[in-house]
Amino acid sequence: MTELGQPRIVVIGGGTGLPVLLRGLKQYPVDITAIVTVADDGGSSGKIREDLHIPPPGDIRNVLAALSDVEPLVEEMFQHRFKTSNELSGHSLGNLILAAMTSITGDFVHAIQEMSRVLNVRGKVLPAANQSVVLHAEMEDGTVVSGESKIPYSGKKIKRVFLTPKNIRPLPETIQAIRKADLIILGPGSLYTSLLPNLLVPQLGDEVCRSRAKKVYICNLMTQAGETHGYTASDHVRAIYDHMSCDDFINIILVNKEEIPEDVQLRYKEELAHPVHFDLEKLTELGLEVVHADIANLEKGALRHDPQKVAKILYNLLMTETKRRYEA
């Protein structure tokens, strides 16, 4: 716990799932550290990464916005994406600001720290590494697809993912955050392109394995074409274990118990996505405590985890765990 008595929570992920969760968690008296992937190579982030040779800012930007405590218009400005016919087209203003701040300070992490102050961020936002990394996927037929944005469109089944270069180093701050955590949350988000790129950073994944904190995996609501087509909840967990130096390190899995409405299922079926089947028996065989809850929410036509409901469940788990640990 912190000096102020707030329990420490570490959330690991990226993509659209992580910011949704953080918007709920920041409402509680907890010390939050978000560890965010830097494997993105598409869109505005990819262009900035390629042109300026800095880590991709997009996932970091979304997390900063989610944890910010500023006027709505300021957040809207930070998230604004230009729609023009020139080179600004597709770029987010927040991405450009982070790129400019990196140029001014000479360091991506320092740029994030400065933006955190400007946006009055509740918590700490850290990249999984202070450098760009490239995500590769080895397919079941032996071919290798390179680039986070290309992997879901290969049309092949993923066998494993891995990172280059080999000398990637995590930030000392991320290691300290994991060691001091009372609860570690994995996900929600794309299994192979948002979650695993963090855990594959050398030492970072090992520290998660060794941590005495309870580890909670928030399973996705829907499968994802090109990544997890046909996966059950236990398949998601096994894929994580297959990439780690240890297994059986996840203690709890949070799953949605409510039926996804038929019209929503039909909409996602067009994207070759289906509700994740929660195979309770196999999850139990893996030694997981399964928490069922109504945690799905339809937002602007997209199915998301409900930030308030999920945050409340996690906070209750955190309180139970910290009480147990500090009474032991």
PDB file of all heavy atoms in Angstrom, residues 177-209:
ATOM      1  N   ALA A 177       6.621  -1.187  -9.787  1.00  0.00           N
ATOM      2  CA  ALA A 177       5.160  -1.164  -9.660  1.00  0.00           C
ATOM      3  C   ALA A 177       4.612  -2.581  -9.516  1.00  0.00           C
ATOM      4  O   ALA A 177       3.722  -2.839  -8.690  1.00  0.00           O
ATOM      5  CB  ALA A 177       4.542  -0.466 -10.863  1.00  0.00           C
ATOM      6  N   ILE A 178       5.132  -3.507 -10.320  1.00  0.00           N
ATOM      7  CA  ILE A 178       4.669  -4.901 -10.252  1.00  0.00           C
ATOM      8  C   ILE A 178       5.034  -5.516  -8.902  1.00  0.00           C
ATOM      9  O   ILE A 178       4.224  -6.219  -8.286  1.00  0.00           O
ATOM     10  CB  ILE A 178       5.270  -5.715 -11.417  1.00  0.00           C
ATOM     11  CG1 ILE A 178       4.663  -5.245 -12.746  1.00  0.00           C
ATOM     12  CG2 ILE A 178       5.025  -7.212 -11.220  1.00  0.00           C
ATOM     13  CD1 ILE A 178       5.387  -5.765 -13.970  1.00  0.00           C
ATOM     14  N   ARG A 179       6.234  -5.239  -8.427  1.00  0.00           N
ATOM     15  CA  ARG A 179       6.685  -5.822  -7.150  1.00  0.00           C
ATOM     16  C   ARG A 179       5.875  -5.302  -5.969  1.00  0.00           C
ATOM     17  O   ARG A 179       5.693  -6.018  -4.976  1.00  0.00           O
ATOM     18  CB  ARG A 179       8.161  -5.521  -6.941  1.00  0.00           C
ATOM     19  CG  ARG A 179       9.077  -6.315  -7.869  1.00  0.00           C
ATOM     20  CD  ARG A 179      10.540  -5.920  -7.692  1.00  0.00           C
ATOM     21  NE  ARG A 179      11.406  -6.717  -8.563  1.00  0.00           N
ATOM     22  CZ  ARG A 179      12.716  -6.512  -8.710  1.00  0.00           C
ATOM     23  NH1 ARG A 179      13.316  -5.524  -8.042  1.00  0.00           N
ATOM     24  NH2 ARG A 179      13.415  -7.283  -9.516  1.00  0.00           N
ATOM     25  N   LYS A 180       5.389  -4.071  -6.072  1.00  0.00           N
ATOM     26  CA  LYS A 180       4.660  -3.477  -4.949  1.00  0.00           C
ATOM     27  C   LYS A 180       3.139  -3.632  -5.075  1.00  0.00           C
ATOM     28  O   LYS A 180       2.404  -3.217  -4.177  1.00  0.00           O
ATOM     29  CB  LYS A 180       4.997  -1.987  -4.848  1.00  0.00           C
ATOM     30  CG  LYS A 180       6.443  -1.705  -4.455  1.00  0.00           C
ATOM     31  CD  LYS A 180       6.717  -0.205  -4.416  1.00  0.00           C
ATOM     32  CE  LYS A 180       8.153   0.088  -3.997  1.00  0.00           C
ATOM     33  NZ  LYS A 180       8.411   1.555  -3.979  1.00  0.00           N
ATOM     34  N   ALA A 181       2.682  -4.222  -6.163  1.00  0.00           N
ATOM     35  CA  ALA A 181       1.235  -4.289  -6.432  1.00  0.00           C
ATOM     36  C   ALA A 181       0.497  -5.164  -5.430  1.00  0.00           C
ATOM     37  O   ALA A 181       1.013  -6.187  -4.969  1.00  0.00           O
ATOM     38  CB  ALA A 181       0.993  -4.800  -7.843  1.00  0.00           C
ATOM     39  N   ASP A 182      -0.718  -4.746  -5.111  1.00  0.00           N
ATOM     40  CA  ASP A 182      -1.629  -5.576  -4.320  1.00  0.00           C
ATOM     41  C   ASP A 182      -2.542  -6.400  -5.226  1.00  0.00           C
ATOM     42  O   ASP A 182      -3.057  -7.434  -4.827  1.00  0.00           O
ATOM     43  CB  ASP A 182      -2.488  -4.690  -3.409  1.00  0.00           C
ATOM     44  CG  ASP A 182      -1.653  -3.950  -2.378  1.00  0.00           C
ATOM     45  OD1 ASP A 182      -0.999  -4.630  -1.564  1.00  0.00           O
ATOM     46  OD2 ASP A 182      -1.621  -2.706  -2.403  1.00  0.00           O
ATOM     47  N   LEU A 183      -2.747  -5.903  -6.450  1.00  0.00           N
ATOM     48  CA  LEU A 183      -3.563  -6.610  -7.433  1.00  0.00           C
ATOM     49  C   LEU A 183      -3.018  -6.289  -8.821  1.00  0.00           C
ATOM     50  O   LEU A 183      -2.703  -5.131  -9.114  1.00  0.00           O
ATOM     51  CB  LEU A 183      -5.028  -6.172  -7.334  1.00  0.00           C
ATOM     52  CG  LEU A 183      -6.060  -6.978  -8.127  1.00  0.00           C
ATOM     53  CD1 LEU A 183      -6.277  -8.350  -7.479  1.00  0.00           C
ATOM     54  CD2 LEU A 183      -7.387  -6.226  -8.195  1.00  0.00           C
ATOM     55  N   ILE A 184      -2.896  -7.316  -9.671  1.00  0.00           N
ATOM     56  CA  ILE A 184      -2.439  -7.130 -11.050  1.00  0.00           C
ATOM     57  C   ILE A 184      -3.563  -7.568 -11.977  1.00  0.00           C
ATOM     58  O   ILE A 184      -4.104  -8.671 -11.843  1.00  0.00           O
ATOM     59  CB  ILE A 184      -1.157  -7.935 -11.336  1.00  0.00           C
ATOM     60  CG1 ILE A 184       0.001  -7.413 -10.474  1.00  0.00           C
ATOM     61  CG2 ILE A 184      -0.791  -7.859 -12.817  1.00  0.00           C
ATOM     62  CD1 ILE A 184       1.264  -8.237 -10.579  1.00  0.00           C
ATOM     63  N   ILE A 185      -3.912  -6.694 -12.920  1.00  0.00           N
ATOM     64  CA  ILE A 185      -5.006  -6.972 -13.846  1.00  0.00           C
ATOM     65  C   ILE A 185      -4.443  -7.116 -15.252  1.00  0.00           C
ATOM     66  O   ILE A 185      -3.688  -6.267 -15.727  1.00  0.00           O
ATOM     67  CB  ILE A 185      -6.057  -5.843 -13.820  1.00  0.00           C
ATOM     68  CG1 ILE A 185      -6.642  -5.708 -12.419  1.00  0.00           C
ATOM     69  CG2 ILE A 185      -7.168  -6.122 -14.828  1.00  0.00           C
ATOM     70  CD1 ILE A 185      -7.468  -4.460 -12.240  1.00  0.00           C
ATOM     71  N   LEU A 186      -4.832  -8.188 -15.924  1.00  0.00           N
ATOM     72  CA  LEU A 186      -4.439  -8.433 -17.308  1.00  0.00           C
ATOM     73  C   LEU A 186      -5.669  -8.261 -18.186  1.00  0.00           C
ATOM     74  O   LEU A 186      -6.677  -8.934 -17.993  1.00  0.00           O
ATOM     75  CB  LEU A 186      -3.883  -9.853 -17.455  1.00  0.00           C
ATOM     76  CG  LEU A 186      -2.762 -10.266 -16.494  1.00  0.00           C
ATOM     77  CD1 LEU A 186      -2.409 -11.735 -16.684  1.00  0.00           C
ATOM     78  CD2 LEU A 186      -1.525  -9.395 -16.698  1.00  0.00           C
ATOM     79  N   GLY A 187      -5.570  -7.343 -19.162  1.00  0.00           N
ATOM     80  CA  GLY A 187      -6.700  -7.117 -20.068  1.00  0.00           C
ATOM     81  C   GLY A 187      -7.678  -6.114 -19.499  1.00  0.00           C
ATOM     82  O   GLY A 187      -7.402  -5.478 -18.475  1.00  0.00           O
ATOM     83  N   PRO A 188      -8.844  -5.971 -20.187  1.00  0.00           N
ATOM     84  CA  PRO A 188      -9.249  -6.690 -21.390  1.00  0.00           C
ATOM     85  C   PRO A 188      -8.560  -6.104 -22.619  1.00  0.00           C
ATOM     86  O   PRO A 188      -7.983  -5.025 -22.570  1.00  0.00           O
ATOM     87  CB  PRO A 188     -10.758  -6.452 -21.436  1.00  0.00           C
ATOM     88  CG  PRO A 188     -10.926  -5.090 -20.826  1.00  0.00           C
ATOM     89  CD  PRO A 188      -9.888  -5.008 -19.746  1.00  0.00           C
ATOM     90  N   GLY A 189      -8.632  -6.841 -23.726  1.00  0.00           N
ATOM     91  CA  GLY A 189      -8.028  -6.358 -24.958  1.00  0.00           C
ATOM     92  C   GLY A 189      -7.619  -7.508 -25.842  1.00  0.00           C
ATOM     93  O   GLY A 189      -7.711  -8.682 -25.457  1.00  0.00           O
ATOM     94  N   SER A 190      -7.168  -7.187 -27.041  1.00  0.00           N
ATOM     95  CA  SER A 190      -6.752  -8.211 -28.003  1.00  0.00           C
ATOM     96  C   SER A 190      -5.653  -9.073 -27.392  1.00  0.00           C
ATOM     97  O   SER A 190      -4.623  -8.559 -26.940  1.00  0.00           O
ATOM     98  CB  SER A 190      -6.257  -7.550 -29.283  1.00  0.00           C
ATOM     99  OG  SER A 190      -7.279  -6.788 -29.879  1.00  0.00           O
ATOM    100  N   LEU A 191      -5.861 -10.375 -27.397  1.00  0.00           N
ATOM    101  CA  LEU A 191      -4.957 -11.292 -26.707  1.00  0.00           C
ATOM    102  C   LEU A 191      -3.529 -11.213 -27.234  1.00  0.00           C
ATOM    103  O   LEU A 191      -2.578 -11.005 -26.475  1.00  0.00           O
ATOM    104  CB  LEU A 191      -5.497 -12.724 -26.843  1.00  0.00           C
ATOM    105  CG  LEU A 191      -4.628 -13.846 -26.269  1.00  0.00           C
ATOM    106  CD1 LEU A 191      -4.468 -13.685 -24.765  1.00  0.00           C
ATOM    107  CD2 LEU A 191      -5.237 -15.203 -26.601  1.00  0.00           C
ATOM    108  N   TYR A 192      -3.372 -11.371 -28.548  1.00  0.00           N
ATOM    109  CA  TYR A 192      -2.037 -11.474 -29.131  1.00  0.00           C
ATOM    110  C   TYR A 192      -1.406 -10.124 -29.454  1.00  0.00           C
ATOM    111  O   TYR A 192      -0.181 -10.018 -29.521  1.00  0.00           O
ATOM    112  CB  TYR A 192      -2.085 -12.324 -30.405  1.00  0.00           C
ATOM    113  CG  TYR A 192      -2.317 -13.793 -30.138  1.00  0.00           C
ATOM    114  CD1 TYR A 192      -3.553 -14.380 -30.383  1.00  0.00           C
ATOM    115  CD2 TYR A 192      -1.301 -14.606 -29.641  1.00  0.00           C
ATOM    116  CE1 TYR A 192      -3.771 -15.731 -30.148  1.00  0.00           C
ATOM    117  CE2 TYR A 192      -1.507 -15.959 -29.399  1.00  0.00           C
ATOM    118  CZ  TYR A 192      -2.740 -16.518 -29.647  1.00  0.00           C
ATOM    119  OH  TYR A 192      -2.949 -17.860 -29.405  1.00  0.00           O
ATOM    120  N   THR A 193      -2.216  -9.095 -29.667  1.00  0.00           N
ATOM    121  CA  THR A 193      -1.651  -7.814 -30.123  1.00  0.00           C
ATOM    122  C   THR A 193      -1.731  -6.681 -29.098  1.00  0.00           C
ATOM    123  O   THR A 193      -1.155  -5.618 -29.328  1.00  0.00           O
ATOM    124  CB  THR A 193      -2.335  -7.369 -31.433  1.00  0.00           C
ATOM    125  OG1 THR A 193      -3.750  -7.341 -31.246  1.00  0.00           O
ATOM    126  CG2 THR A 193      -1.993  -8.327 -32.566  1.00  0.00           C
ATOM    127  N   SER A 194      -2.440  -6.893 -27.991  1.00  0.00           N
ATOM    128  CA  SER A 194      -2.498  -5.849 -26.954  1.00  0.00           C
ATOM    129  C   SER A 194      -1.951  -6.322 -25.614  1.00  0.00           C
ATOM    130  O   SER A 194      -1.236  -5.594 -24.939  1.00  0.00           O
ATOM    131  CB  SER A 194      -3.934  -5.353 -26.760  1.00  0.00           C
ATOM    132  OG  SER A 194      -4.360  -4.600 -27.859  1.00  0.00           O
ATOM    133  N   LEU A 195      -2.289  -7.562 -25.216  1.00  0.00           N
ATOM    134  CA  LEU A 195      -1.885  -8.050 -23.896  1.00  0.00           C
ATOM    135  C   LEU A 195      -0.507  -8.707 -23.917  1.00  0.00           C
ATOM    136  O   LEU A 195       0.397  -8.311 -23.179  1.00  0.00           O
ATOM    137  CB  LEU A 195      -2.932  -9.036 -23.365  1.00  0.00           C
ATOM    138  CG  LEU A 195      -2.616  -9.688 -22.017  1.00  0.00           C
ATOM    139  CD1 LEU A 195      -2.394  -8.627 -20.934  1.00  0.00           C
ATOM    140  CD2 LEU A 195      -3.724 -10.642 -21.612  1.00  0.00           C
ATOM    141  N   LEU A 196      -0.335  -9.711 -24.777  1.00  0.00           N
ATOM    142  CA  LEU A 196       0.923 -10.464 -24.771  1.00  0.00           C
ATOM    143  C   LEU A 196       2.161  -9.627 -25.100  1.00  0.00           C
ATOM    144  O   LEU A 196       3.240  -9.906 -24.557  1.00  0.00           O
ATOM    145  CB  LEU A 196       0.817 -11.662 -25.715  1.00  0.00           C
ATOM    146  CG  LEU A 196       0.075 -12.867 -25.118  1.00  0.00           C
ATOM    147  CD1 LEU A 196      -0.221 -13.916 -26.178  1.00  0.00           C
ATOM    148  CD2 LEU A 196       0.874 -13.475 -23.967  1.00  0.00           C
ATOM    149  N   PRO A 197       2.081  -8.587 -25.963  1.00  0.00           N
ATOM    150  CA  PRO A 197       3.287  -7.787 -26.197  1.00  0.00           C
ATOM    151  C   PRO A 197       3.876  -7.170 -24.930  1.00  0.00           C
ATOM    152  O   PRO A 197       5.082  -6.912 -24.874  1.00  0.00           O
ATOM    153  CB  PRO A 197       2.797  -6.696 -27.166  1.00  0.00           C
ATOM    154  CG  PRO A 197       1.677  -7.337 -27.900  1.00  0.00           C
ATOM    155  CD  PRO A 197       0.987  -8.201 -26.880  1.00  0.00           C
ATOM    156  N   ASN A 198       3.052  -6.935 -23.918  1.00  0.00           N
ATOM    157  CA  ASN A 198       3.568  -6.446 -22.638  1.00  0.00           C
ATOM    158  C   ASN A 198       4.276  -7.562 -21.873  1.00  0.00           C
ATOM    159  O   ASN A 198       5.401  -7.393 -21.382  1.00  0.00           O
ATOM    160  CB  ASN A 198       2.424  -5.909 -21.769  1.00  0.00           C
ATOM    161  CG  ASN A 198       1.767  -4.684 -22.332  1.00  0.00           C
ATOM    162  OD1 ASN A 198       2.310  -3.604 -22.300  1.00  0.00           O
ATOM    163  ND2 ASN A 198       0.572  -4.857 -22.871  1.00  0.00           N
ATOM    164  N   LEU A 199       3.622  -8.700 -21.776  1.00  0.00           N
ATOM    165  CA  LEU A 199       4.159  -9.799 -20.980  1.00  0.00           C
ATOM    166  C   LEU A 199       5.408 -10.415 -21.599  1.00  0.00           C
ATOM    167  O   LEU A 199       6.177 -11.090 -20.907  1.00  0.00           O
ATOM    168  CB  LEU A 199       3.082 -10.877 -20.806  1.00  0.00           C
ATOM    169  CG  LEU A 199       1.821 -10.446 -20.053  1.00  0.00           C
ATOM    170  CD1 LEU A 199       0.787 -11.562 -20.038  1.00  0.00           C
ATOM    171  CD2 LEU A 199       2.151 -10.011 -18.632  1.00  0.00           C
ATOM    172  N   LEU A 200       5.598 -10.198 -22.911  1.00  0.00           N
ATOM    173  CA  LEU A 200       6.772 -10.746 -23.591  1.00  0.00           C
ATOM    174  C   LEU A 200       8.012  -9.864 -23.448  1.00  0.00           C
ATOM    175  O   LEU A 200       9.103 -10.276 -23.840  1.00  0.00           O
ATOM    176  CB  LEU A 200       6.462 -10.946 -25.081  1.00  0.00           C
ATOM    177  CG  LEU A 200       5.461 -12.063 -25.400  1.00  0.00           C
ATOM    178  CD1 LEU A 200       5.142 -12.088 -26.887  1.00  0.00           C
ATOM    179  CD2 LEU A 200       5.980 -13.417 -24.940  1.00  0.00           C
ATOM    180  N   VAL A 201       7.864  -8.674 -22.898  1.00  0.00           N
ATOM    181  CA  VAL A 201       9.039  -7.841 -22.631  1.00  0.00           C
ATOM    182  C   VAL A 201       9.886  -8.548 -21.571  1.00  0.00           C
ATOM    183  O   VAL A 201       9.384  -8.880 -20.496  1.00  0.00           O
ATOM    184  CB  VAL A 201       8.629  -6.435 -22.133  1.00  0.00           C
ATOM    185  CG1 VAL A 201       9.848  -5.645 -21.654  1.00  0.00           C
ATOM    186  CG2 VAL A 201       7.896  -5.686 -23.240  1.00  0.00           C
ATOM    187  N   PRO A 202      11.156  -8.838 -21.884  1.00  0.00           N
ATOM    188  CA  PRO A 202      11.996  -9.567 -20.931  1.00  0.00           C
ATOM    189  C   PRO A 202      11.964  -8.954 -19.526  1.00  0.00           C
ATOM    190  O   PRO A 202      11.991  -7.738 -19.377  1.00  0.00           O
ATOM    191  CB  PRO A 202      13.397  -9.444 -21.552  1.00  0.00           C
ATOM    192  CG  PRO A 202      13.137  -9.304 -23.015  1.00  0.00           C
ATOM    193  CD  PRO A 202      11.877  -8.492 -23.112  1.00  0.00           C
ATOM    194  N   GLN A 203      11.881  -9.788 -18.544  1.00  0.00           N
ATOM    195  CA  GLN A 203      11.814  -9.472 -17.120  1.00  0.00           C
ATOM    196  C   GLN A 203      10.432  -9.021 -16.686  1.00  0.00           C
ATOM    197  O   GLN A 203       9.995  -9.364 -15.589  1.00  0.00           O
ATOM    198  CB  GLN A 203      12.849  -8.429 -16.704  1.00  0.00           C
ATOM    199  CG  GLN A 203      13.019  -8.352 -15.175  1.00  0.00           C
ATOM    200  CD  GLN A 203      13.995  -7.295 -14.720  1.00  0.00           C
ATOM    201  OE1 GLN A 203      14.735  -6.736 -15.527  1.00  0.00           O
ATOM    202  NE2 GLN A 203      13.993  -6.989 -13.425  1.00  0.00           N
ATOM    203  N   LEU A 204       9.701  -8.274 -17.536  1.00  0.00           N
ATOM    204  CA  LEU A 204       8.379  -7.791 -17.128  1.00  0.00           C
ATOM    205  C   LEU A 204       7.434  -8.965 -16.861  1.00  0.00           C
ATOM    206  O   LEU A 204       6.798  -9.046 -15.810  1.00  0.00           O
ATOM    207  CB  LEU A 204       7.807  -6.856 -18.201  1.00  0.00           C
ATOM    208  CG  LEU A 204       6.625  -5.958 -17.810  1.00  0.00           C
ATOM    209  CD1 LEU A 204       6.573  -4.729 -18.706  1.00  0.00           C
ATOM    210  CD2 LEU A 204       5.306  -6.697 -17.865  1.00  0.00           C
ATOM    211  N   GLY A 205       7.370  -9.897 -17.819  1.00  0.00           N
ATOM    212  CA  GLY A 205       6.516 -11.064 -17.634  1.00  0.00           C
ATOM    213  C   GLY A 205       6.966 -11.921 -16.461  1.00  0.00           C
ATOM    214  O   GLY A 205       6.139 -12.457 -15.709  1.00  0.00           O
ATOM    215  N   ASP A 206       8.287 -12.059 -16.285  1.00  0.00           N
ATOM    216  CA  ASP A 206       8.818 -12.840 -15.173  1.00  0.00           C
ATOM    217  C   ASP A 206       8.421 -12.236 -13.830  1.00  0.00           C
ATOM    218  O   ASP A 206       8.106 -12.961 -12.875  1.00  0.00           O
ATOM    219  CB  ASP A 206      10.349 -12.919 -15.258  1.00  0.00           C
ATOM    220  CG  ASP A 206      10.814 -13.727 -16.470  1.00  0.00           C
ATOM    221  OD1 ASP A 206      10.025 -14.553 -16.966  1.00  0.00           O
ATOM    222  OD2 ASP A 206      11.956 -13.511 -16.916  1.00  0.00           O
ATOM    223  N   GLU A 207       8.424 -10.906 -13.753  1.00  0.00           N
ATOM    224  CA  GLU A 207       8.042 -10.243 -12.510  1.00  0.00           C
ATOM    225  C   GLU A 207       6.559 -10.463 -12.200  1.00  0.00           C
ATOM    226  O   GLU A 207       6.174 -10.614 -11.042  1.00  0.00           O
ATOM    227  CB  GLU A 207       8.335  -8.742 -12.596  1.00  0.00           C
ATOM    228  CG  GLU A 207       9.810  -8.390 -12.572  1.00  0.00           C
ATOM    229  CD  GLU A 207      10.472  -8.665 -11.229  1.00  0.00           C
ATOM    230  OE1 GLU A 207       9.754  -8.806 -10.205  1.00  0.00           O
ATOM    231  OE2 GLU A 207      11.716  -8.744 -11.201  1.00  0.00           O
ATOM    232  N   VAL A 208       5.720 -10.486 -13.246  1.00  0.00           N
ATOM    233  CA  VAL A 208       4.301 -10.774 -13.044  1.00  0.00           C
ATOM    234  C   VAL A 208       4.144 -12.180 -12.485  1.00  0.00           C
ATOM    235  O   VAL A 208       3.356 -12.423 -11.558  1.00  0.00           O
ATOM    236  CB  VAL A 208       3.512 -10.613 -14.360  1.00  0.00           C
ATOM    237  CG1 VAL A 208       2.074 -11.107 -14.197  1.00  0.00           C
ATOM    238  CG2 VAL A 208       3.504  -9.154 -14.802  1.00  0.00           C
ATOM    239  N   CYS A 209       4.889 -13.124 -13.033  1.00  0.00           N
ATOM    240  CA  CYS A 209       4.838 -14.507 -12.548  1.00  0.00           C
ATOM    241  C   CYS A 209       5.221 -14.599 -11.074  1.00  0.00           C
ATOM    242  O   CYS A 209       4.587 -15.316 -10.301  1.00  0.00           O
ATOM    243  CB  CYS A 209       5.775 -15.393 -13.367  1.00  0.00           C
ATOM    244  SG  CYS A 209       5.160 -15.841 -14.990  1.00  0.00           S
TER     245      CYS A 209
END
